[in-house]
Amino acid sequence: MPTLSRSVSSLVLALVFALSAPVAFSAGKEAPKPSPADALTLYAGATVIDGTGAAARPNQDILVHGERIVAVGPHGSLAGSQGKGVRTVDLHGSYVIPGLIDSHVHMATPPNAKRAQANLRRNLYAGVTGVRDMADDLRSVGELAREARAGEIPAPDIYYAAVMAGPEFFADPRVGAASFGVAPGKSPWMQAIDEKTDLREAVTLARGTSATAIKVYADLPPDLVASITQEAHRQHLMVWAHSAVFPTRPADVIAAGADVVSHACYLAYQLEPVMLKSYEDHTPFHEALLAPSGDDPVMAGLYRDMLKHGTILDATGSLFVRYDAERKAHPERHPLRCTGPTTIRLVRQAWQAGVPISTGTDNDPGVDDAWPSVFDEIFFLAHDVGMPPLQVIHSATLIGAEAAGQAHDMGSIEAGKLANFAVLSADPLKDIGNLRSVRMTVKRGHVYPRTDYRPVTKDEMGDGDDD
């Protein structure tokens, strides 16, 4: 048999992805099946914080039919809520928020289904109903997404990206771990791009993985960042990018039209007089370049551009603050690109400028943590940045849904959207820490009581977990 060309063989692999979704349910999974399509449930009498940024509404009813919200209104006012076959859940004294969304996770570098499922379970039972996977082995992530969507495992719904980067990046050992069996840079989900690449074909191959977006990652010049973005949008894929792609500056990433940019710290490289030539150069940002106090004018211009283009910031601030604090006890560790205080300053200025900010973490908690990392990012926005709780919830719900391209279906409590919400025992507007008072998570109309949560175990998390 003649040897297939790269184009044909890659296309075959992409088609395997596209055709692999409608597979029979796996046996032995622990989660119950989703609610029947004809089920009617009335969640009665709760205070609703709808995720849009609007004020809380007390004593509201939420009518759910199957996996979607039919209506929301004052207690006792909803037509059809008293009929035969309607199950009522009394939520008087409770608070309902949309399901939380972690807009920056990594679940399969390298693939480890047991660990990924444990982290997903921890997320779901804490009120997280959606996650955005930002670069992994999509063979594994695609199966996790299918299992989550089918209700075979207790997990948020998963939306994921296929990576594009310059050839130099593919010496990174993480690439080999996430594309085992395929030459680095040659898989449809992790492609090396240069001036000779047929971008129409490359984006088509990425689409075959069922990805929601292209992640523009590293080692690409401005013209290629712009060309990838244009072609991805032409083929109806979002573009998620590092806020500095190196050597491409943040202003060029934003001007290219990236829908979401990750890592607030990287935005600061706009001030560097000489841009780093590659992602592999981890020289920290020279923080003395920022204005001594107040808003930095260069950053102000960058944030105006983000507002003009509708760019969402996936700040990942808690990661930088936590790591910076840990270095005080372990000064031998290499510094990240920004310190904690600088990261806080950058995110605070972005928020005050009106830039939409999602709650991405880029970090897994340890085996002993009862709560997922998205709570760290939420508390970072509330306590370090200074966002009021109502705006933090907006970031963690509707802005997160927009970042994942799913705002038509999730992120707010509205008629027609998926029944994705968390029921809390205490008011999160009085104390954002009350988000941890989760009584139950409702995802696609199916109820996951917090009392059913089974904590993650050392066996699930593996030897790589050192907490």
Side-chain angles (χ1 to χ4, degrees):
M1 178 179 290
T3 301
L4 290 173
S5 69
R6 174 193 178 257
S7 299
V8 175
S9 60
S10 297
L11 184 58
V12 169
L13 184 53
L15 288 172
V16 170
F17 266 108
L19 296 173
S20 65
V23 184
F25 291 164
S26 301
K29 302 297 183 184
E30 63 183 83
K33 293 294 187 290
S35 302
D38 59 351
L40 275 169
T41 304
L42 181 71
Y43 294 89
T47 295
V48 171
I49 302 165
D50 67 10
T52 66
R57 305 197 304 274
N59 205 25
Q60 299 286 299
D61 290 351
I62 304 170
L63 184 61
V64 173
H65 182 202
E67 67 176 21
R68 293 198 177 263
I69 297 171
V70 174
V72 183
H75 181 52
S77 70
L78 301 184
S81 63
Q82 306 299 322
K84 183 178 179 181
V86 178
R87 182 174 70 97
T88 299
V89 179
D90 186 358
L91 296 184
H92 284 88
S94 297
Y95 300 81
V96 174
I97 63 168
L100 302 172
I101 296 172
D102 187 334
S103 61
H104 199 128
V105 303
H106 293 280
M107 295 185 297
T109 302
N112 183 330
K114 183 185 290 187
R115 182 183 179 103
Q117 288 174 12
N119 276 319
L120 290 166
R121 181 178 75 245
R122 174 163 46 193
N123 270 282
L124 182 66
Y125 280 100
V128 180
T129 56
V131 297
R132 196 173 68 121
D133 188 281
M134 291 299 290
D136 279 308
D137 188 333
L138 296 191
R139 294 167 295 189
S140 177
V141 174
E143 175 60 11
L144 291 167
R146 187 198 65 79
E147 291 174 321
R149 177 63 181 85
E152 296 177 17
I153 59 173
D157 285 336
I158 302 165
Y159 305 94
Y160 51 86
V163 170
M164 292 187 181
E168 296 82 0
F169 169 70
F170 290 89
D172 191 312
R174 294 174 298 173
V175 175
S179 55
F180 182 77
V182 184
K186 302 295 184 181
S187 68
W189 60 95
M190 284 192 171
Q191 296 185 64
I193 305 296
D194 60 23
E195 298 290 349
K196 298 178 181 179
T197 302
D198 182 338
L199 290 179
R200 180 173 295 203
E201 178 190 35
V203 173
T204 300
L205 291 172
R207 285 180 61 206
T209 69
S210 296
T212 298
I214 300 297
K215 182 176 181 181
V216 179
Y217 198 93
D219 299 330
L220 291 165
D223 63 325
L224 275 181
V225 172
S227 296
I228 292 167
T229 302
Q230 182 180 10
E231 182 59 30
H233 285 164
R234 192 189 71 79
Q235 295 197 38
H236 308 292
L237 287 178
M238 298 185 75
V239 174
W240 303 337
H242 274 174
S243 58
V245 174
F246 304 109
T248 300
R249 290 182 180 272
D252 292 319
V253 175
I254 294 162
D259 301 286
V260 188
V261 295
S262 293
H263 309 308
C265 167
Y266 293 15
L267 291 169
Y269 283 88
Q270 186 64 32
L271 290 114
E272 291 285 354
V274 179
M275 187 60 171
L276 300 183
K277 294 186 181 299
S278 72
Y279 173 82
E280 291 72 29
D281 182 347
H282 291 281
T283 301
F285 164 66
H286 295 95
E287 299 186 350
L289 293 170
L290 283 166
S293 61
D295 287 350
D296 181 87
V298 173
M299 299 308 300
L302 207 58
Y303 295 146
R304 284 194 297 270
D305 289 345
M306 292 178 72
L307 287 170
K308 175 183 174 182
H309 289 277
T311 313
I312 295 171
L313 175 59
D314 165 34
T316 67
S318 58
L319 169 66
F320 288 82
V321 172
R322 176 186 59 79
Y323 186 88
D324 197 40
E326 290 174 353
R327 281 194 72 238
K328 292 178 180 178
H330 300 280
E332 74 280 2
R333 294 185 182 179
H334 294 295
L336 295 182
R337 295 183 187 269
C338 289
T339 63
T342 290
T343 301
I344 293 168
R345 181 180 175 183
L346 293 167
V347 178
R348 183 180 293 135
Q349 185 176 346
W351 161 57
Q352 292 175 340
V355 173
I357 300 171
S358 66
T359 51
T361 61
D362 199 14
N363 182 54
D364 286 339
V367 67
D368 295 327
D369 292 316
W371 302 97
S373 294
V374 73
F375 285 83
D376 295 335
E377 191 70 10
I378 285 168
F379 299 150
F380 162 78
L381 292 177
H383 300 307
D384 294 319
V385 175
M387 290 175 64
L390 195 64
Q391 293 189 31
V392 174
I393 292 170
H394 178 57
S395 287
T397 56
L398 189 55
I399 299 300
E402 291 170 352
Q406 307 302 315
H408 59 288
D409 262 344
M410 59 180 65
S412 59
I413 298 174
E414 300 178 63
K417 289 197 173 184
L418 291 170
N420 287 0
F421 51 86
V423 179
L424 313 176
S425 297
D427 185 356
L429 301 185
K430 288 185 177 178
D431 181 351
I432 199 68
N434 287 334
L435 288 176
R436 286 176 169 159
S437 67
V438 177
R439 285 179 50 191
M440 69 177 77
T441 304
V442 179
K443 181 208 158 188
R444 292 183 175 267
H446 187 78
V447 177
Y448 296 84
R450 178 69 187 178
T451 52
D452 287 354
Y453 173 59
R454 179 172 58 83
V456 303
T457 66
K458 182 68 176 177
D459 176 65
E460 290 175 311
M461 298 299 283
D463 293 336
D465 184 82
D466 55 8
D467 291 339

